[in-house]
Amino acid sequence: MAKDSSDSGHTLWGGRFEGGLSPEMEALNRSLDVDWRLWRHDVRGSRAWAAGLARAGILSADEVLRIDQGLIEVARRLEAMPGPRGLADEDIHTVVERLLTETIGSVGGKLHSGRSRNDQVATDFRLWGMAAVRLLQARLSGLVRAIAEKAREVEGVVMPGYTHLQQAQPVPASHWLLSRAWPLVRDLDHLGSVLKECDVLPLGSGAIAGCPFDIDREALAADLGFSRVSENSMDGVSDRDWAARLLFGGAMTGVHLSQFAEDLVLFSNSEFGFVRLGDGYTTGSSLMPQKRNPDVAELTRGKSGRLVGNLMAMMTVLKGLPTGYNRDLQEDKEAVFDSVDTLGGVLPAMTGAVQSMTLDRDRIAEALRAEMLATDLADYLVRRSVPFREAHHVAGALVRLAEGAGRQLSDLTLDEMNGVHPGFGDDVFEIFDPAASVESRDVRGATSREAVEAQLDALAKALAGTL
Ligand code: ARG
């Protein structure tokens, strides 16, 4: 039975060749270091295939039993192995078949009847992909929930809202946080459609022309947890669209996280000082004792590069492929594995960082400048029937007046205001309250307490709907 196989090079296609592969070609050809992680799916797919062959009358009851028990033993052996180091096999499919034949002898060679590595790799990759998407959905929704919880925690804090990174209008800090959660909800939505697209069984496509035996592909699909079977064997072995769309989702999430991370870098620096990340998510400097660096956010921002890059790599691989299966497709996995691993690491770290984050209410209050209420000043006149264009002009003139006098907009007197436009009354000074300004915008999607509450409800609903 199981002899040591660590040094026996093995391929599945020797028959028509006389010499072995050159060492350079062997190195280029090998994908085992990348596809090792597919072994569980390869064993699972192989067990289902053996059962399918038995149903089709290609394997006897005894043969399928021996193959199935052999595959269970192969899984045990693979479980005990530290990884692909030292194995000379071309890829994981080769390893599984070699171990099977070592374990149960030549009957193992019957497993590959009617099956090609092309449909094997397409199937294994999709099985892996569905599990990966579910993992990403769980991690992404964990981050969205953490942001929503933080938004509740900081209710009542009003901060500057920015456009062009200039103070624009006051907004609740919870509104800012939630503005970073909605894009991730859209990403979750996208992942749902990736899952659906991935959920198609290619097995039974053969190399490109389908299976010659009477395989019940629906039964195979049910066995392996797929909802549908592919409709065209040539497309079945070469379709990687789901992987490209997964990578697009990864790139988009990378971009969203990078934007949020940029906020955190900016808002946690000493000039802003709005945000403080927990000690567990910041690092010190080896040289400067005072430093407190927002590395979690910087690394997240940096990781977006590879997430975007992986999408480009996949699109470029797919672009030139002629009809049928092409070996270029071996390049499909590394990019996907890397994006999933990258997000698998970044998402929990960002979740923890958000949970650890505190707001410095004093620094935020100090930063609020009265000029941010210039729009409210114009709106005040609009409520008194002044056309907005004129009101805008008046408010602008008042900002200029205050600026020229080295004072804040709110320090102008009623006389000074009426000097510019007669429409102001005593009550104009009530608008110079950022909290009131925020509260005055009450439509759906706006900043009032009630509107933000409604937004939190909508977010919870959307989250429930995307999972
Ligand atoms: N190692 C290959 C991959 O990762 C398996 C498919 C090989 N197919 C072939 N016709 N050579 O994609």
Side-chain angles (χ1 to χ4, degrees):
M1 278 243 307
K3 64 176 167 122
D4 181 18
S5 53
S6 59
D7 57 358
S8 58
H10 186 80
T11 59
L12 297 172
W13 40 265
R16 85 183 292 294
F17 293 87
E18 259 177 32
L21 279 182
S22 78
E24 303 80 23
M25 180 51 199
E26 205 170 300
L28 181 65
N29 193 41
R30 178 180 155 98
S31 61
L32 185 59
D33 302 289
V34 173
D35 57 33
W36 173 263
R37 65 168 85 191
L38 294 179
W39 72 258
R40 274 191 186 77
H41 305 296
D42 202 71
V43 170
R44 189 174 167 209
S46 294
R47 292 183 67 190
W49 184 249
L53 285 176
R55 282 192 298 264
I58 300 297
L59 293 181
S60 70
D62 175 59
E63 286 167 338
V64 71
L65 192 68
R66 284 166 64 198
I67 288 177
D68 198 57
Q69 282 172 349
L71 284 167
I72 293 172
E73 173 59 22
V74 167
R76 245 181 244 129
R77 288 180 65 185
L78 285 165
E79 185 88 70
M81 287 186 191
R85 264 190 70 152
L87 301 183
D89 306 86
E90 187 179 329
D91 58 21
I92 191 59
H93 323 293
T94 313
V95 173
V96 169
E97 201 176 319
R98 174 173 61 76
L99 292 179
L100 179 66
T101 324
E102 282 174 19
T103 307
I104 62 171
S106 61
V107 65
K110 289 198 163 195
L111 170 65
H112 210 53
S113 314
R115 183 179 75 164
S116 121
R117 263 189 301 166
N118 299 349
D119 57 6
Q120 214 176 336
V121 70
T123 303
D124 295 358
F125 194 21
R126 282 176 187 260
L127 283 169
W128 185 91
M130 289 198 286
V133 170
R134 291 198 177 97
L135 175 95
L136 291 182
Q137 285 175 317
R139 303 229 159 137
L140 200 48
S141 66
L143 175 56
V144 172
R145 269 195 296 275
I147 297 175
E149 273 159 31
K150 190 56 66 175
R152 280 201 187 283
E153 189 185 306
V154 302
E155 248 170 338
V157 177
V158 175
M159 68 183 280
Y162 296 84
T163 64
H164 312 265
L165 208 52
Q166 313 292 318
Q167 286 205 2
Q169 290 184 291
V171 294
S174 45
H175 197 56
W176 159 62
L177 282 167
L178 291 173
S179 77
R180 292 315 195 182
W182 285 107
L184 303 177
V185 171
R186 294 193 289 276
D187 293 342
L188 274 166
D189 207 38
H190 176 80
L191 278 179
S193 68
V194 173
L195 187 59
K196 201 166 155 228
E197 194 175 351
C198 187
D199 185 11
V200 177
L201 176 83
L203 194 58
S205 296
I208 60 156
C211 178
F213 309 122
D214 192 18
I215 286 282
D216 181 347
R217 294 188 66 215
E218 268 79 17
L220 261 186
D223 242 21
L224 291 172
F226 287 98
S227 313
R228 292 176 292 156
V229 302
S230 58
E231 297 291 352
N232 178 305
S233 58
M234 294 171 79
D235 182 45
V237 291
S238 60
D239 170 18
R240 299 293 188 275
D241 293 5
W242 69 269
R245 271 190 260 271
L246 174 53
L247 289 175
F248 171 75
M252 197 73 249
T253 300
V255 168
H256 290 147
L257 294 177
S258 181
Q259 294 171 336
F260 187 24
E262 174 62 14
D263 284 0
L264 297 180
V265 170
L266 199 63
F267 289 163
S268 65
N269 82 357
S270 41
E271 280 70 24
F272 277 85
F274 294 177
V275 162
R276 193 177 166 89
L277 295 171
D279 282 356
Y281 297 90
T282 46
T283 62
S285 157
S286 59
L287 178 76
M288 300 161 285
Q290 86 285 6
K291 286 303 285 294
R292 193 183 160 77
N293 298 326
D295 292 36
V296 65
E298 294 166 89
L299 288 166
T300 296
R301 199 175 51 191
K303 296 278 186 197
S304 64
R306 66 202 297 152
L307 291 168
V308 173
N310 287 336
L311 172 64
M312 293 309 124
M314 177 67 91
M315 297 304 275
T316 312
V317 166
L318 296 181
K319 182 199 160 290
L321 298 184
T323 176
Y325 173 85
N326 297 275
R327 190 62 186 277
D328 315 41
L329 288 173
Q330 181 162 296
E331 286 298 305
D332 59 356
K333 286 171 288 302
E334 213 169 340
V336 175
F337 291 166
D338 184 67
S339 282
V340 171
D341 291 347
T342 298
L343 285 170
V346 161
L347 288 166
M350 280 296 273
T351 303
V354 167
Q355 286 163 340
S356 81
M357 176 178 125
T358 53
L359 296 187
D360 187 330
R361 292 169 193 243
D362 295 337
R363 290 292 300 271
I364 292 174
E366 277 164 33
L368 290 163
R369 299 195 44 84
E371 281 65 35
M372 265 197 303
L373 299 166
T375 311
D376 298 66
L377 195 59
D379 294 341
Y380 172 95
L381 290 177
V382 167
R383 287 203 172 85
R384 280 154 191 74
S385 294
V386 179
F388 178 73
R389 274 293 142 238
E390 189 185 341
H392 182 278
H393 189 82
V394 170
L398 289 172
V399 168
R400 185 151 43 89
L401 185 69
E403 217 170 62
R407 288 145 65 196
Q408 290 230 6
L409 186 61
S410 50
D411 294 335
L412 293 176
T413 65
L414 187 57
D415 281 350
E416 284 170 316
M417 290 193 200
N418 279 329
V420 176
H421 192 283
F424 292 107
D426 259 345
D427 58 349
V428 66
F429 294 101
E430 284 165 23
I431 68 150
F432 292 118
D433 174 9
S437 164
V438 156
E439 209 42 46
S440 73
R441 288 185 294 270
D442 196 28
V443 303
R444 188 155 170 195
T447 55
S448 74
R449 186 173 281 265
E450 220 171 285
V452 173
E453 276 303 324
Q455 189 184 162
L456 278 160
D457 286 349
L459 186 78
K461 278 206 193 83
L463 205 53
T466 53
L467 296 177

